[in-house]
Amino acid sequence: MRKYLIQRFFFGILSLIAATLIVFVLSRAQGDPLLLYAKPGGYGVSPEQIAALEEKLALDRPLIVQYLIWLGRVVRGDMGETLLSERPVSDVIGEKLGATMQLGLLAWIFATLVGVPLGVLSAVKRGSVWDYLGRAFALFGQAAPVFFLGILGILLFGVQLGWLPAGLRPVQDPFWPSQAKALVMPTIALGWLPAAVYLRLTRSAMLEVLDSEYVKLARAKGASGRAVIWRHALRNALIPPITVSALVLVGFLEGSVVVEAVFAWPGIGRMAVESIHNNDFPLLTGIILMFAVLYVVGSFVADVAYTIVDPRIRYDQS
Amino acid sequence: MTEQTAPDSTSQSEPIDEHSQSTLMASQVIGIQEQTFSHKFWYVLRRWPILPMLVLFVMVIAAVFAPLLSPTGPRDINLRGRAAPPVWQSDWYEANPNNEQTYLLGADHVGRDVLTRMLYGARISLMVAVISLSVGVVIGSAVGLVAGYYGGWIDEFAMRTVDVWNALPFLLIAILAAVTFGQSVSIVMILLALVAWAGGVRNVRAEVLTLKTRDYISLARIAGASDFRIIMRHILPGVVNTIVVLATLRVGGLILAEASLSFLGAGIPAATPTWGNMISEGREWLSTAWWIAVFPGFAILLVVMSVNFFGDWLRDRWDPKLRQL
């Protein structure tokens, strides 16, 4: 186990380096980042200021040296300053993180609360209305583009019915009901796909488990139907959904980019797209680093959780 | 157990109507079932992916013959038909007699026919998905075959590369690449191929690992076959099923990825009609002309649903081991 953990850690670091290096190279190929300072109309920065900025950002050095300088600073906990607002990257990310986390967490709760029970239900009552309902829900969730779900929602509940606000979270409003209402549609748009994934995995795992010997034994011993399903069968059927949770997490990060664009949500995803268009590379690299760290940590936790929920799994033998 | 290929038992337990009861005994003995037409119809419909195939067939035909099917071009504007609603909202057409064009699914803000643009959009979307998928699948399968066959450090290296690759936040990198290199169809295809290749490597490799220990492979080697020949002639045919199933299950994801990129303004250039671009454009007229964005959205939904359904069916038939995917 320890060897496995060390190996995982090492390759996790490698993933982070690969992700940030790609961003570094691409953003530099995009053009001179200092053009951000040159305002339209021909005024803006003097040659002295340019020189000072180049010095500060080490833009006059070879790319790989710039990357190593950046890496050295990050290791010491300094992600640099954004080009646009000249504030520390970590502060800027920290401000927007809350909105994205809120959305991601709610979407995850939605996905779990809808996907898992519906998956159990459609496995237990196989061939019933519930099963077909669940399958339709999953089929739709896996095929509908996130942004289209958002737009349909806005059209139906925002424009036609007027039940829910079509976007922006009014910050000064009280949380209930105004802000809570604004959360409904983004949550569902972001959570539908993972709910579908959970549903399908739970359903197929549940079908398999319900067919196994120990469930039959539990039934033969006279355990009630409900106890067999929820206590005996579900525990093992939850293993596949738990193992994909890391991928679900990445899905949220990528999905948040789209959902935040649709609902004008003031989070990381929208800021990332803005930073790309502004060529604000310190900010963008910081965001990508954060995404990659979350993924690496998430998949690591999922792997470890896997060994805990299913002791049959050992990583050492392979 | 599986999702689509289970209905064999259901058709046998149908209630029997009275007049067929006399023949029931005989037909049961020789194993023939009395089936009405609707029984047969539903049986075939559930056993074979007829509907998804039909949808895909129609889409492909529509994409290929788009110029023949549509009277107008995808960029023909008609300012008299600005934001004309779909044809069934006839009161608009009566109120605007100056406009002599009829729009089956409405027109956008400069009077371009939504259906025509969807037909042309299908060309781009399907072409991008198919080409990038083919490239990705060829690369991914090659890596999986080589990694599984040679093992050792090659295997280790390939698998770790896949791991690192999967950790990259692709949507953001794709947007960055589109901004850096400019938007074009070929950039999108390259990006999607880069996403697609890593998906099936692990499964192909696992298949190869079991195949390569078989006796016939050893015999081929004794007979003097080269590594290349063994991989291509003796192992590849054994993993083709897996590859095809994996590829089919990925098409939908690629279509969605392309649409998302276009929607975010980092995919196919905005002047080109694609489904993602149309939704992105139509978003601004959502409250006044919903049809601009909604119909392309349903097109994506329908195609991806059909492809996924077909992929599920193929997987259950050809490679039930992949059921967890």
Side-chain angles (χ1 to χ4, degrees), chain A residues 251-263:
Chain A
F252 283 149
L253 292 172
E254 304 236 307
S256 75
V257 174
V258 179
V259 168
E260 288 177 12
V262 175
F263 291 98

Side-chain angles (χ1 to χ4, degrees), chain A residues 45-68:
Chain A
V45 278
S46 63
E48 292 80 31
Q49 277 173 299
I50 291 274
L53 276 167
E54 279 191 346
E55 173 95 36
K56 181 177 148 205
L57 295 162
L59 288 176
D60 47 349
R61 314 276 282 277
L63 194 56
I64 189 72
V65 177
Q66 290 182 35
Y67 180 71
L68 289 177

Side-chain angles (χ1 to χ4, degrees), chain A residues 8-304:
Chain A
R8 278 302 297 264
F9 181 75
F10 176 71
F11 284 108
I13 300 286
L14 210 61
S15 302
L16 300 185
I17 292 178
T20 46
L21 194 58
I22 289 174
V23 174
F24 231 77
V25 173
L26 278 181
S27 63
R28 216 44 57 81
Q30 191 184 338
D32 191 346
L34 294 181
L35 285 179
L36 187 63
Y37 290 97
K39 306 281 186 307
Y43 67 95
V45 278
S46 63
E48 292 80 31
Q49 277 173 299
I50 291 274
L53 276 167
E54 279 191 346
E55 173 95 36
K56 181 177 148 205
L57 295 162
L59 288 176
D60 47 349
R61 314 276 282 277
L63 194 56
I64 189 72
V65 177
Q66 290 182 35
Y67 180 71
L68 289 177
I69 292 175
W70 178 84
L71 200 60
R73 283 190 189 147
V74 167
V75 171
R76 277 174 274 142
D78 172 20
M79 297 212 279
E81 289 179 351
T82 71
L83 290 185
L84 197 61
S85 59
E86 298 192 34
R87 289 167 51 222
V89 169
S90 42
D91 288 8
V92 176
I93 291 181
E95 278 168 19
K96 305 273 179 177
L97 196 59
T100 300
M101 296 262 279
Q102 189 184 27
L103 202 56
L105 201 66
L106 280 173
W108 186 74
I109 292 172
F110 171 80
T112 315
L113 285 186
V114 172
V116 173
L118 211 52
V120 172
L121 207 61
S122 59
V124 173
K125 304 199 185 242
R126 191 172 164 206
S128 72
V129 180
W130 286 106
D131 193 12
Y132 281 97
L133 208 70
R135 266 197 251 171
F137 177 85
L139 208 58
F140 190 81
Q142 284 186 315
V146 171
F147 56 91
F148 182 57
L149 279 181
I151 286 177
L152 266 190
I154 290 176
L155 183 64
L156 267 180
F157 301 107
V159 178
Q160 300 284 339
L161 299 170
W163 290 350
L164 298 165
L168 266 177
R169 186 170 58 143
V171 185
Q172 67 282 3
D173 285 13
F175 178 78
W176 192 266
S178 152
Q179 290 207 41
K181 269 186 178 172
L183 276 165
V184 174
M185 283 202 287
T187 302
I188 294 177
L190 191 56
W192 200 321
L193 174 65
V197 172
Y198 279 149
L199 190 151
R200 291 188 59 143
L201 286 174
T202 313
R203 180 179 181 273
S204 73
M206 199 69 189
L207 283 174
E208 207 154 304
V209 170
L210 284 178
D211 207 33
S212 67
E213 299 291 321
Y214 81 92
V215 168
K216 283 180 196 150
L217 177 72
R219 286 231 166 94
K221 274 168 58 185
S224 74
R226 194 179 290 172
V228 170
I229 290 163
W230 296 104
R231 190 144 359 112
H232 296 267
L234 182 63
R235 281 200 189 177
N236 268 330
L238 274 183
I239 293 171
I242 288 175
T243 47
V244 296
S245 287
L247 289 175
V248 167
L249 184 76
V250 189
F252 283 149
L253 292 172
E254 304 236 307
S256 75
V257 174
V258 179
V259 168
E260 288 177 12
V262 175
F263 291 98
W265 198 260
I268 301 276
R270 209 155 70 105
M271 191 170 65
V273 176
E274 275 166 18
S275 71
I276 289 172
H277 289 294
N278 290 337
N279 199 6
D280 194 337
F281 74 93
L283 181 57
L284 180 63
T285 329
I287 296 173
I288 299 261
L289 178 68
M290 193 198 71
F291 273 36
V293 165
L294 278 178
Y295 175 77
V296 168
V297 171
S299 61
F300 182 74
V301 169
D303 274 4
V304 175

